[in-house]
Amino acid sequence: MLSAKSVFQEILDHDESFRLFCSIAASGESQGGWENARIAALVPPSERDLAPKISRHGADEDKHGRIFNALMRKRGLEPVPVPPETDYTMLLEQQGIGLAHEKLKADQPLTVQDVITYLAHSRVTEQRAADQMVMLRKFFADHPQVGNAVKMISHDEDNHLAYTHEELLRFAADGHGPYIQRTLRACALAEIRVYRDVSLATMAHMGGILGWPTAKSAVLAAGIDAMYAYERLGGWRRMVSLKTPDRRDALGGPATPAPELA
């Protein structure tokens, strides 16, 4: 039976598909680590109290990148170049979502609106990451090779999502609600398109590596398109709602190390 679990199991069991999956994931996490580190360094004076949380977010992303690289090393694998069409973070930036790298590479302080833009972008993308990790945790939490990594990363993504809710609600209370909602909506609608395109490209690469028949690839592509249609019709709204999280001050401490994995 073709299912999400069977597809991921097939990717996990084959060295080349596993290497590509981990390389794509590690690259995206490392990029997120760099972005958060730059944002933490450039926050405006009025938001300096937020800088340690942004740094913690970046440290978590760096850790996740090391975890994916460590998973490859344990199987004697080296990372491979990430195909551009599967580069989620780069494609989002090209859509104008989040803060441009040119801005982050400069040494000019960010504005409060820039910080809100960053948080709105994170609210949307962390929802995607948290949802993906919930699925992987359901299937592979007890897997001898990847189970610990899946549980650790899932815990961190839940923290990141809680943090974005809490901080955006704080800014909304300060009168930034309309800008937050406009930015969240724009981010969500762009993200669902990019996620669909990246998913189609990634599955095409996996199908080539694993020798999937045309019919199987077509069914998977149809499933991805169906998910996009659902999200375009209204599923995107789960990415823009804000509520007080159960986890308060989720990024108020140091990043959790992962010495056994990294």
Side-chain angles (χ1 to χ4, degrees), residues 10-63:
E10 195 173 353
I11 291 169
L12 178 63
D13 289 344
H14 190 283
D15 279 351
E16 288 305 310
S17 56
F18 182 71
R19 179 161 71 160
L20 178 59
F21 174 81
C22 288
S23 295
I24 292 171
S27 175
E29 296 285 1
S30 297
Q31 185 64 49
W34 176 83
E35 290 173 357
N36 278 276
R38 290 302 300 154
I39 293 166
L42 297 174
V43 293
S46 62
E47 297 300 325
R48 292 310 302 174
D49 288 347
L50 192 56
K53 296 181 181 181
I54 301 173
S55 293
R56 160 75 185 276
H57 189 179
D60 283 345
E61 303 287 2
D62 281 336
K63 178 183 69 179

Side-chain angles (χ1 to χ4, degrees), residues 39 45 104 106 116 143 155 188 202 216 256:
I39 293 166
L104 298 183
I116 294 172
H143 191 279
H155 174 78
T202 301
K216 180 174 181 176
T256 304

Side-chain angles (χ1 to χ4, degrees), residues 146-203:
V146 303
N148 286 339
V150 165
K151 288 183 285 190
M152 179 174 291
I153 295 173
S154 181
H155 174 78
D156 289 346
E157 301 297 6
D158 288 345
N159 279 344
H160 300 166
L161 189 56
Y163 147 77
T164 61
H165 276 266
E166 191 169 33
E167 296 301 333
L168 284 170
L169 285 170
R170 177 174 66 85
F171 278 110
D174 287 341
H176 297 282
Y179 179 74
I180 290 170
Q181 285 303 315
R182 289 196 305 272
T183 307
L184 282 170
R185 187 179 190 277
C187 285
L189 292 176
E191 193 279 342
I192 63 173
R193 291 193 302 271
V194 168
Y195 182 71
R196 177 206 50 195
D197 293 345
V198 167
S199 297
L200 289 171
T202 301
M203 287 300 105

Side-chain angles (χ1 to χ4, degrees), residues 27-117:
S27 175
E29 296 285 1
S30 297
Q31 185 64 49
W34 176 83
E35 290 173 357
N36 278 276
R38 290 302 300 154
I39 293 166
L42 297 174
V43 293
S46 62
E47 297 300 325
R48 292 310 302 174
D49 288 347
L50 192 56
K53 296 181 181 181
I54 301 173
S55 293
R56 160 75 185 276
H57 189 179
D60 283 345
E61 303 287 2
D62 281 336
K63 178 183 69 179
H64 299 167
R66 294 195 305 273
I67 287 172
F68 282 113
N69 282 314
L71 290 173
M72 284 188 280
R73 287 197 303 272
K74 286 185 176 181
R75 285 172 61 163
L77 304 172
E78 293 293 330
V80 294
V82 174
E85 64 273 18
T86 69
D87 193 329
Y88 175 79
T89 54
M90 179 190 73
L91 292 171
L92 281 176
E93 186 195 4
Q94 290 177 354
Q95 292 291 316
I97 301 304
L99 299 178
H101 285 186
E102 288 76 10
K103 183 185 287 283
L104 298 183
K105 290 175 182 176
D107 288 324
Q108 297 299 317
L110 301 175
T111 65
V112 169
Q113 192 170 88
D114 288 333
V115 173
I116 294 172
T117 298

